[in-house]
């Protein structure tokens, strides 16, 4: 077991429907602790930079439009095996494939408006956390 940090984003469909607290209740009911948090309205340039790994994908333009369509809440989660653990409680990217009881199964509207993002590896978690947070803002 490894103690890890991961990046979480509560997406514009979650802030629009005022369900960030419900989502965070599920996060906090797991073994994860929210150790940094802020609400932002991303610019197109920021969304493009954050999702640069998907730049060649057909959905990149729509993804960046959606992620800038309203506020997001970015947060750092900490816990044992936080990267995989958060992905487990988020559920599959496409909510139709998300296991019962997961965040996306309960709350996501579509593959795009899927309520939450989580880092897919420890290496990417380090990069994604430093994209949004300075060390001073992370209080474990
Ligand atoms: P996320 O974990 O934030 O990483 C990239 C996002 O692209 C993904 O969640 C989805 O919300 C979004 N997306 C939109 N369309 C697709 C698609 N066809 N396949 C995969 N991801 C998609």
């Amino acid at each position: 077991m490894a103690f890890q940090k991961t990046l979480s984003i509560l997406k514009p469909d979650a802030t629009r429907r005022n369900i960030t607290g419900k989502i965070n209740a599920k996060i906090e009911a797991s073994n994860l602790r929210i150790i940094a948090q802020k609400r932002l309205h991303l610019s197109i340039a920021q969304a493009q930079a954050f999702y640069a790994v998907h730049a060649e994908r057909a959905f990149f333009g729509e993804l960046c439009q959606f992620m800038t369509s309203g506020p997001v809440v970015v947060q750092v989660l900490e816990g044992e095996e936080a990267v995989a653990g958060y992905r487990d409680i988020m559920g599959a990217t496409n909510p139709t494939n998300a296991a019962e009881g997961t965040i996306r199964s309960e709350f996501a509207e579509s593959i795009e408006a899927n309520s939450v993002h989580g880092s897919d590896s420890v290496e990417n978690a380090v990069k994604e956390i430093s994209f949004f947070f300075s060390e001073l803002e992370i209080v474990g």
Side-chain angles (χ1 to χ4, degrees), residues 1-7 30-33 77-89 119-122 125:
M1 296 279 274
F3 204 66
Q4 299 169 344
K5 294 182 179 67
T6 193
L7 184 83
S30 73
N31 69 337
L32 297 168
R33 184 171 286 271
L77 312 181
E78 184 176 66
E80 289 291 345
E81 302 295 328
V83 172
Y86 182 47
R87 291 182 74 79
D88 279 350
I89 66 164
S119 307
D120 65 2
S121 65
V122 174

Coordinates of all heavy atoms in Angstrom, one line a residue, residues 1-7 30-33 77-89 119-122 125:
M1 N 0.8 -1.2 0.0 CA 0.0 0.0 0.0 C 0.9 1.3 0.0 O 1.9 1.3 0.7 CB -0.9 0.0 1.3 CG -1.9 -1.1 1.3 SD -3.4 -0.8 0.4 CE -4.3 0.2 1.5
A2 N 0.4 2.2 -0.8 CA 1.2 3.5 -0.8 C 0.3 4.7 -0.5 O -0.8 4.7 -1.1 CB 1.9 3.6 -2.2
F3 N 0.8 5.6 0.3 CA 0.0 6.8 0.6 C 0.2 7.8 -0.6 O 1.4 8.1 -0.9 CB 0.5 7.4 1.9 CG -0.4 8.2 2.6 CD1 -1.6 7.7 3.1 CD2 -0.2 9.6 2.8 CE1 -2.5 8.5 3.8 CE2 -1.1 10.4 3.4 CZ -2.3 9.8 3.9
Q4 N -0.8 8.2 -1.2 CA -0.7 9.0 -2.5 C -1.6 10.2 -2.4 O -2.6 10.3 -1.7 CB -1.1 8.1 -3.7 CG -0.3 6.9 -3.9 CD -0.9 5.9 -4.9 OE1 -2.1 6.0 -5.2 NE2 -0.1 5.0 -5.4
K5 N -1.3 11.1 -3.4 CA -2.2 12.2 -3.7 C -2.7 12.1 -5.1 O -2.0 11.5 -6.0 CB -1.5 13.5 -3.6 CG -1.0 13.9 -2.2 CD -0.3 15.3 -2.2 CE 0.2 15.7 -0.9 NZ 1.3 14.9 -0.3
T6 N -3.9 12.6 -5.3 CA -4.5 12.6 -6.7 C -5.3 13.9 -6.9 O -5.7 14.5 -6.0 CB -5.4 11.3 -7.0 OG1 -5.6 11.2 -8.3 CG2 -6.7 11.4 -6.2
L7 N -5.4 14.3 -8.2 CA -6.2 15.5 -8.5 C -7.6 15.1 -8.8 O -7.8 14.1 -9.6 CB -5.6 16.2 -9.7 CG -6.3 17.5 -9.9 CD1 -5.9 18.6 -9.0 CD2 -6.3 18.0 -11.4
S30 N -15.3 7.6 1.6 CA -14.2 6.6 1.3 C -13.0 6.9 2.2 O -13.1 7.6 3.1 CB -13.9 6.7 -0.2 OG -13.1 7.8 -0.5
N31 N -11.9 6.3 1.8 CA -10.7 6.5 2.7 C -9.9 7.8 2.2 O -8.8 7.9 2.6 CB -9.8 5.3 2.7 CG -9.1 5.1 1.3 OD1 -9.6 5.6 0.3 ND2 -8.0 4.5 1.3
L32 N -10.6 8.7 1.5 CA -9.9 9.8 0.9 C -10.2 11.1 1.7 O -11.3 11.3 2.1 CB -10.3 10.0 -0.6 CG -9.9 8.9 -1.5 CD1 -10.6 9.0 -2.8 CD2 -8.4 8.8 -1.7
R33 N -9.2 12.0 1.8 CA -9.3 13.2 2.5 C -9.0 14.4 1.5 O -8.1 14.3 0.7 CB -8.2 13.2 3.6 CG -8.3 14.4 4.5 CD -7.3 14.1 5.7 NE -7.9 13.1 6.6 CZ -8.7 13.4 7.7 NH1 -8.9 14.7 8.0 NH2 -9.2 12.5 8.4
L77 N -6.8 15.1 -3.4 CA -7.3 14.1 -2.4 C -6.0 13.3 -2.0 O -5.1 13.0 -2.8 CB -8.2 13.1 -3.1 CG -9.4 13.7 -3.9 CD1 -10.3 12.7 -4.5 CD2 -10.2 14.7 -3.0
E78 N -6.1 12.8 -0.7 CA -4.9 12.1 -0.2 C -5.5 10.8 0.5 O -6.5 10.9 1.1 CB -4.2 13.0 0.8 CG -2.9 12.3 1.4 CD -2.2 13.3 2.3 OE1 -2.8 13.6 3.4 OE2 -1.1 13.7 2.0
G79 N -4.7 9.8 0.4 CA -5.1 8.5 1.1 C -4.3 7.3 0.6 O -3.5 7.5 -0.4
E80 N -4.5 6.2 1.2 CA -3.8 5.0 0.7 C -4.3 4.6 -0.7 O -5.5 4.6 -0.9 CB -4.2 3.8 1.7 CG -3.5 3.8 3.0 CD -2.0 3.6 3.0 OE1 -1.5 3.2 1.9 OE2 -1.3 4.0 4.0
E81 N -3.4 4.5 -1.6 CA -3.8 4.1 -3.0 C -4.8 5.1 -3.5 O -5.8 4.7 -4.2 CB -4.3 2.7 -3.1 CG -3.3 1.6 -2.6 CD -2.0 1.5 -3.5 OE1 -2.1 1.8 -4.7 OE2 -1.0 1.2 -2.9
A82 N -4.6 6.4 -3.3 CA -5.6 7.4 -3.6 C -5.9 7.4 -5.1 O -7.0 7.7 -5.5 CB -5.1 8.8 -3.2
V83 N -4.9 7.2 -6.0 CA -5.1 7.3 -7.4 C -6.1 6.3 -7.9 O -7.2 6.6 -8.5 CB -3.8 7.2 -8.2 CG1 -4.1 7.2 -9.7 CG2 -2.9 8.4 -7.9
A84 N -5.9 5.0 -7.6 CA -6.8 3.9 -8.0 C -8.1 4.0 -7.2 O -9.2 3.7 -7.7 CB -6.1 2.6 -7.9
G85 N -7.9 4.3 -5.9 CA -9.1 4.4 -5.1 C -10.1 5.4 -5.5 O -11.4 5.1 -5.6
Y86 N -9.7 6.6 -5.9 CA -10.6 7.6 -6.4 C -11.2 7.2 -7.8 O -12.4 7.4 -8.0 CB -9.9 8.9 -6.6 CG -10.7 10.1 -7.0 CD1 -12.0 10.3 -6.5 CD2 -10.3 11.0 -8.0 CE1 -12.8 11.3 -6.9 CE2 -11.1 12.0 -8.5 CZ -12.4 12.2 -7.9 OH -13.1 13.2 -8.3
R87 N -10.4 6.5 -8.6 CA -10.9 6.1 -9.9 C -12.0 5.0 -9.7 O -13.0 5.0 -10.4 CB -9.8 5.5 -10.8 CG -9.0 6.7 -11.3 CD -7.9 6.2 -12.3 NE -8.4 5.9 -13.6 CZ -8.7 6.8 -14.5 NH1 -8.6 8.1 -14.3 NH2 -9.1 6.4 -15.7
D88 N -11.8 4.2 -8.7 CA -12.9 3.2 -8.3 C -14.2 3.9 -7.9 O -15.2 3.4 -8.3 CB -12.4 2.3 -7.1 CG -11.5 1.2 -7.6 OD1 -11.3 1.0 -8.8 OD2 -10.9 0.6 -6.7
I89 N -14.1 4.9 -7.1 CA -15.4 5.5 -6.6 C -16.0 6.4 -7.6 O -17.2 6.7 -7.6 CB -15.3 6.1 -5.2 CG1 -14.4 7.4 -5.2 CG2 -14.9 5.2 -4.1 CD1 -14.6 8.2 -4.0
S119 N -7.0 11.8 -11.7 CA -5.7 11.5 -12.4 C -5.7 10.0 -12.7 O -6.2 9.2 -11.9 CB -4.5 11.8 -11.5 OG -4.6 13.2 -11.1
D120 N -5.1 9.6 -13.8 CA -5.1 8.2 -14.2 C -3.8 7.4 -13.8 O -3.7 6.2 -14.0 CB -5.3 8.0 -15.7 CG -4.3 8.6 -16.5 OD1 -3.2 9.1 -16.0 OD2 -4.4 8.5 -17.8
S121 N -2.8 8.1 -13.2 CA -1.6 7.4 -12.7 C -0.9 8.4 -11.7 O -1.2 9.6 -11.6 CB -0.6 7.2 -13.9 OG -0.2 8.5 -14.4
V122 N 0.0 7.8 -10.9 CA 0.7 8.6 -9.9 C 1.5 9.6 -10.6 O 1.5 10.8 -10.1 CB 1.6 7.6 -9.0 CG1 2.4 8.4 -8.1 CG2 0.7 6.6 -8.3
A125 N -0.8 12.4 -11.7 CA -1.3 13.1 -10.5 C -0.3 14.2 -10.1 O -0.7 15.3 -9.8 CB -1.5 12.1 -9.3

